[in-house]
Amino acid sequence: QVQLVESGGGLVQAGGSLRLSCVASGSIVVMGWYRQPPGNQRELVALSTSGGGTNYADSVKGRFTISRDNAKNTVYLQMNSLKPEDTAVYACYAHFRGRDYWGQGTQVTVSS
């Protein structure tokens, strides 16, 4: 079983920045972030492997950066140049021993 605890959401104006953090209960190879905008399905934002590989949704490339501190079992999402369409509940994700895990989510609201 994997526990994920997120922090860092909030309200920000368009063009602003936020940083999300997620601490896992153990060492995880694949971690990342998903989001669920209001009235829409959950979608991938970014993934990261412990070896340094990354993958981003096209909609966030060049604005968001995922990073990790493997010693702290922590993954971060630096979000810059935020847009109103980035408003969503952001959930930390981990893939461990063939199973997918999500955190409870943190709200990010971008005002225009």
Side-chain angles (χ1 to χ4, degrees), residues 4-7 20-22 31-37 42-47 66 75 77 79 88-94 101-108:
L4 302 170
V5 180
E6 305 117 329
S7 61
L20 305 182
S21 301
C22 173
M31 294 185 71
W33 295 91
Y34 279 72
R35 68 185 180 186
Q36 186 165 13
R42 183 168 56 197
E43 61 187 25
L44 172 68
V45 177
L47 290 176
I66 190 169
V75 64
L77 186 68
M79 305 184 292
V89 175
Y90 285 70
C92 184
Y93 164 82
Y101 297 87
W102 282 271
Q104 64 181 14
T106 184
Q107 178 69 44
V108 171

Side-chain angles (χ1 to χ4, degrees), residues 41-79:
Q41 292 184 337
R42 183 168 56 197
E43 61 187 25
L44 172 68
V45 177
L47 290 176
S48 170
T49 68
S50 56
T54 59
N55 185 37
Y56 294 93
D58 288 342
S59 60
V60 307
K61 284 180 180 177
R63 300 188 298 121
F64 291 11
T65 302
I66 190 169
S67 62
R68 299 176 62 145
D69 185 335
N70 292 326
K72 297 180 179 180
N73 299 327
T74 301
V75 64
Y76 306 96
L77 186 68
Q78 178 66 43
M79 305 184 292

